[in-house]
């Protein structure tokens, strides 16, 4: 049976997918394989998680969630999803500081690709990791912690170093948020000001009209907030889509895991359905110029664009993180599912944003590989000297010089 990704826009080339049920079985599998790569929940839109040999998924491994109440951390299996983890953390009185818009994705795959949510002070999901265990090319189990020199290169590693089996995540005390949808944000707004008005803020735009998804600790009492009007019923990010799978938006407070994602964790994964996605991360100070540049080409985007989302993400120091060393603005594109029509438009977006130092989201579509840091190239050579975890995507990336 042909294995496809979540969006069904690509078929994996791997000959077989394995689902080990124990750590020892996984170690034997990796040690005996010639080419193999980890597969998360399949939410990537490119061949970043493919393999010319076999794939290995960890959803058959024993369920592992171990909350350390004293340390304020959780040790969790890489195949566990945020949708399953978050309610359990909440029952223990804890939260993750940030979540992606869709909670149904696996923790291991999300971390490996620097998946993120939103918020001026919120880092990507990978930055919450304080320790990882991974099985390397010869079946050995390696444990790394923040103090280890290889750690910042091993967290966001695109599966190039081995198969991550468990991760330890930092926790914060559980909290509540209000979520509001505000319609009719006028052009000319200051993105820096708007983005600072909530714990997590998303702008949804077709580059002509814009509405705001605002997630706040406190109630919003300004009826005319930035000249907008309040939505009077639940909304979906893509206009016209049913909103029953979206998290509560009408200001009623709710637990962090029922407000931070755009989509409910207890509902089937919801999005536009037939779609492709791209996202580019730029220094936050370029947000206003990036918005102006994209508005200028909106007529060329419109035939293949369903919706764009603008968010902010705080800096980290993980080597392959697109947020490394800079607070960022994230500009996301949900396209129609027509690869031939969409790829030239992605190239146009890359051209338009090129002067603003864009970096791509690893799990989405782009046409230009960024430079590979020499330190990561050396790390990949040490952890996988035979290229067992390599694929076309990684081989191309590892040859892109950062000088």
């Amino acid at each position: 049976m042909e294995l496809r990704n979540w969006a069904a826009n690509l078929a994996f080339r791997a000959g077989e997918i394995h689902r080990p049920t124990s750590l020892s079985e996984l170690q034997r599998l990796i040690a005996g394989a010639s080419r193999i790569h980890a597969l998360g929940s399949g939410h990537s839109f490119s061949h970043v998680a493919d393999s010319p040999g076999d794939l290995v998924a960890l959803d058959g491994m024993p369920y592992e969630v171990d909350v350390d109440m004293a340390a304020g951390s959780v040790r969790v299996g890489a195949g566990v999803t945020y949708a399953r983890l978050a309610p359990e953390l909440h029952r223990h009185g804890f939260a993750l500081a940030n979540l992606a818009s869709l909670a149904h994705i696996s923790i291991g795959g999300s971390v490996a690709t620097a998946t993120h949510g939103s918020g001026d002070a919120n880092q990507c999901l990978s930055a919450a990791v304080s320790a990882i265990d991974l099985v390397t090319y010869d079946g050995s189990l390696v444990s790394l912690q923040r103090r280890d020199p290889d750690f910042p290169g091993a967290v966001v590693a695109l599966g190039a170093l081995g198969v991550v089996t468990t991760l330890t995540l930092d926790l914060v005390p559980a909290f509540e948020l209000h979520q509001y949808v505000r319609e009719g944000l006028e052009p000319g707004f200051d993105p820096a000001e708007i983005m600072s008005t909530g714990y997590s803020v998303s702008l949804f735009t077709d580059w002509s009209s814009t509405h705001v998804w605002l997630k706040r600790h406190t109630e919003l009492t300004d009826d005319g907030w930035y000249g907008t009007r309040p939505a009077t019923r639940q909304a979906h990010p893509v206009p016209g889509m049913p909103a029953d799978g979206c998290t509560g938006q009408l200001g009623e407070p709710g637990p962090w895991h029922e407000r931070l994602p755009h989509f409910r964790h207890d509902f089937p994964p919801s999005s536009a359905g037939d779609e492709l996605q791209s996202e580019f991360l730029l220094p936050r100070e370029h947000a206003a110029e990036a918005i102006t540049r994209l508005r200028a080409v909106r007529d060329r985007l419109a035939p293949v664009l369903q919706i764009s989302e603008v968010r902010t993400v705080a800096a980290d120091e993980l080597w392959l993180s697109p947020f490394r060393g800079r607070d960022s603005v994230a500009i996301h594109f949900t396209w129609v599912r027509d690869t031939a029509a969409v790829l030239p438009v992605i190239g146009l977006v890359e051209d338009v944003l090129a002067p603003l130092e864009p970096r791509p989201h690893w799990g989405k579509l782009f046409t230009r590989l960024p430079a590979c840091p020499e330190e990561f190239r050396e790390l990949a050579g040490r952890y996988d000297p035979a290229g067992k975890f390599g694929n076309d995507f990684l081989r191309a990336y590892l040859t892109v010089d950062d000088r």
Side-chain angles (χ1 to χ4, degrees):
M1 181 178 177
E2 186 178 63
L3 177 67
R4 288 188 169 267
N5 63 337
W6 176 83
N9 69 297
L10 63 86
F12 290 101
R13 300 164 183 161
E16 188 173 354
I17 181 168
H18 302 274
R19 288 187 160 86
T21 58
S22 68
L23 176 59
S24 59
E25 183 184 354
L26 174 65
Q27 289 177 290
R28 290 193 299 271
L29 175 66
I30 292 175
S34 58
R35 291 287 187 272
I36 196 165
H37 198 89
L39 177 67
S41 51
H43 199 262
S44 292
F45 291 80
S46 72
H47 286 281
V48 63
D50 206 353
S51 172
D54 293 342
L55 289 170
V56 57
L58 301 185
D59 50 7
M61 297 282 280
Y63 178 70
E64 182 175 359
V65 173
D66 183 11
V67 178
D68 187 327
M69 302 290 290
S73 65
V74 60
R75 187 172 186 267
V76 60
V80 176
T81 64
Y82 287 98
R84 191 170 183 184
L85 173 66
E88 188 163 345
L89 294 180
H90 190 72
R91 287 193 293 271
H92 283 83
F94 285 109
L96 294 164
N98 202 2
L99 283 173
S101 59
L102 185 71
H104 302 75
I105 51 181
S106 71
I107 295 168
S110 304
V111 166
T113 54
T115 296
H116 63 93
S118 177
D120 276 4
N122 296 330
Q123 296 176 305
C124 73
L125 306 185
S126 314
V129 177
S130 63
I132 60 171
D133 296 327
L134 71 157
V135 178
T136 59
Y137 75 100
D138 61 356
S140 300
L141 184 66
V142 175
S143 298
L144 295 171
Q145 298 181 340
R146 276 200 182 110
R147 63 175 178 269
D148 297 321
D150 290 344
F151 181 83
V155 177
V156 180
L158 313 180
L161 309 184
V163 176
V164 174
T165 58
T166 60
L167 308 95
T168 302
L169 309 177
D170 297 332
L171 302 177
V172 299
F175 57 95
E176 288 194 336
L177 291 171
H178 304 258
Q179 181 172 214
Y180 301 88
V181 174
R182 305 289 303 195
E183 300 173 341
L185 185 64
E186 293 295 329
F189 62 85
D190 180 351
E193 186 175 352
I194 292 289
M195 293 300 192
S196 67
T197 59
Y199 183 84
S200 173
V201 182
S202 291
L203 308 181
F204 285 100
T205 181
D206 61 4
W207 305 106
S208 293
S209 62
T210 301
H211 58 279
V212 185
W213 287 34
L214 179 64
K215 305 166 197 268
R216 294 166 50 99
H217 286 300
T218 59
E219 187 176 358
L220 182 66
T221 57
D222 181 2
D223 288 341
W225 184 83
Y226 288 94
T228 62
R229 58 188 180 275
T232 57
R233 59 182 180 178
Q234 287 277 110
H236 191 285
V238 179
M241 290 292 296
D244 48 353
C246 296
T247 50
Q249 302 160 4
L250 302 180
E252 182 180 355
W256 58 280
H257 63 289
E258 295 180 4
R259 294 296 181 270
L260 276 176
H262 298 330
F263 304 105
R264 291 169 50 179
H265 68 86
D266 58 348
F267 210 82
S270 173
S271 190
D274 290 342
E275 67 183 68
L276 301 174
Q277 294 183 8
S278 298
E279 189 169 28
F280 299 95
L281 305 314
L282 305 94
R284 198 176 296 174
E285 61 267 24
H286 296 330
E289 183 177 354
I291 290 170
T292 298
R293 285 171 169 266
L294 290 165
R295 278 204 177 113
V297 296
R298 61 181 177 267
D299 290 345
R300 298 174 67 184
L301 305 180
V304 293
L305 180 68
Q306 298 193 53
I307 201 70
S308 282
E309 182 179 11
V310 181
R311 292 174 283 181
T312 53
V313 186
D316 60 57
E317 293 303 326
L318 304 173
W319 294 353
L320 296 195
S321 168
F323 317 103
R324 184 185 186 184
R326 65 190 202 189
D327 293 333
S328 301
V329 59
I331 303 181
H332 166 97
F333 301 84
T334 297
W335 309 107
V336 300
R337 201 181 71 182
D338 183 340
T339 302
V342 166
L343 284 179
V345 182
I346 293 174
L348 167 66
V349 169
E350 291 169 327
D351 286 341
V352 167
L353 298 179
L356 308 182
E357 306 173 79
R359 298 171 181 169
H361 186 304
W362 291 114
K364 300 181 182 179
L365 292 176
F366 52 94
T367 69
R368 303 173 191 176
L369 277 167
C372 178
E374 181 58 37
E375 56 198 346
F376 183 77
R377 191 179 290 111
E378 184 274 333
L379 184 70
R382 280 195 287 117
Y383 275 72
D384 186 22
K388 179 175 289 192
F389 302 107
N391 54 31
D392 291 346
F393 184 99
L394 284 169
R395 279 190 287 274
Y397 176 58
L398 290 170
T399 62
V400 180
D401 203 322
D402 65 340
R403 288 165 292 187

